[in-house]
Amino acid sequence: MLSPSGVGYVELRMNGRTILVFAMVSTVSALRSIDELRGMFESAFGPGKGELRMACAPGRANIIGEHTDYQEGFVAPFALKERCYIVYRQRNDAILRAFASELQEWAEIDLSQMAKQRQANQVWGSRTQDWTDMTWLRYVAGPMEWMRTEALVKGEKEYRGCDALITSTVPMGGGVSSSSALAVASAVAARDIYRDLSWTSTYNMLKACCESEWHYSGVRGGIMDQFASLNGKDGEAFVLDCRTKKIAHWLAFPASLSFVIINTNVKHSLVDSPYAQRRQACERVAAKAKVSHLRDLSDMNDNDKALQILQSLDLDATDLKRATHGVLENNRVLQAVDAAQREDW
């Protein structure tokens, strides 16, 4: 059963002994069997001692609301059935030893040393740190370090490492938030590892997932991907108000509706995309318009007036185009929601 915080635990027992514990976010059904995951872990790390535990989190797709979350706007995502899984066994030291199954790559890092390096360089996106060259490890180790250092308990002296098997059915680089699914699964694992140190709230969980991913990926993104992975449900989308960080509406899918998502195997990387430049353009325009975010212009509920304000700011063509999209897209989300609630898909 899911707890109020959105994380539930399911135990698999054999001969009276717990052999695997699920730590799950959202209510999207898992696709890989417990036996398969346990076998994958033991093939990599051996049977060993201590119970196995598992965290998993889904990828996401977005119906409408692009480049609006970082402007405190509206988005309408839904969680996918495809999931990222981390099967782990706690260690007695601060070492994270990880194996990425699909990549067939091993990595090892001392979480306490990683924390010292980050604290010495608090610049957003300090991707030049020499603690690892493996991009995927950032999304595993980052949340584990961040949850312990920033979110859990200031007085706890020991970092707790684990052996971790990472496997995923979310297409990597496919634009469906495989990296955020990995980061959320890692944060769920960290919360489980420190489960005797009660601290959490849903907001703190979201904050830890987002800030650790932003820092270690080098891209300060929005909150949609992580929020969708934490809160998604089977057969429903939701409208997220990124200003309040709350769900404004749930949208149940009618039985006649299907979304087809095609994996073209064209790789997408937020780090290498113009995402950061788009965000900076929107922030520049908001500052010129003397509002905190472009959401404030959308909230006027008068597109013509909002566009007149933008056109009066003496913007270059690129900034004007990007800001115009941000303002109008927010209103398109609300129009789409109104249509969906009338089942006018």
Side-chain angles (χ1 to χ4, degrees), residues 61-131:
N62 191 33
I63 299 173
I64 189 170
E66 300 297 334
H67 290 276
T68 53
D69 60 343
Y70 57 77
Q71 283 300 310
E72 296 193 347
F74 295 98
V75 292
F78 61 93
L80 304 178
K81 292 182 181 294
E82 285 72 21
R83 285 178 171 269
C84 178
Y85 306 83
I86 301 179
V87 184
Y88 55 98
R89 182 167 57 208
Q90 192 170 322
R91 297 170 58 94
N92 295 321
D93 54 24
I95 300 299
L96 167 64
R97 189 169 56 134
F99 177 65
S101 178
E102 280 70 36
L103 299 176
Q104 290 292 296
E105 290 182 355
W106 285 91
E108 184 175 303
I109 188 169
D110 186 323
L111 295 174
S112 62
Q113 294 302 313
M114 180 179 166
K116 291 177 182 178
Q117 291 189 27
R118 180 174 66 82
Q119 291 171 330
N121 182 2
Q122 289 286 355
V123 177
W124 282 113
S126 48
R127 299 178 67 232
T128 57
Q129 296 180 76
D130 59 4
W131 57 267

Side-chain angles (χ1 to χ4, degrees), residues 114 117-118 120-139 179 211-221 268-273 276:
M114 180 179 166
Q117 291 189 27
R118 180 174 66 82
N121 182 2
Q122 289 286 355
V123 177
W124 282 113
S126 48
R127 299 178 67 232
T128 57
Q129 296 180 76
D130 59 4
W131 57 267
T132 177
D133 290 327
M134 290 185 176
T135 301
W136 63 267
L137 183 60
R138 300 175 188 275
Y139 296 96
S179 57
E211 292 194 356
S212 61
E213 182 175 343
W214 296 342
H215 182 87
Y216 284 111
S217 71
V219 177
R220 187 178 183 184
H268 166 83
S269 171
L270 206 61
V271 174
D272 299 322
S273 75

Side-chain angles (χ1 to χ4, degrees), residues 295-328:
R295 160 76 178 271
D296 297 312
L297 298 182
S298 302
D299 283 351
M300 295 168 58
N301 295 317
D302 186 334
N303 285 345
D304 291 338
K305 187 174 181 180
L307 293 179
Q308 287 174 6
I309 292 173
L310 292 179
Q311 290 163 358
S312 72
L313 298 177
D314 191 27
L315 305 173
D316 67 40
T318 299
D319 281 8
L320 177 60
K321 180 173 66 174
R322 289 172 173 172
T324 298
H325 169 82
V327 171
L328 298 183

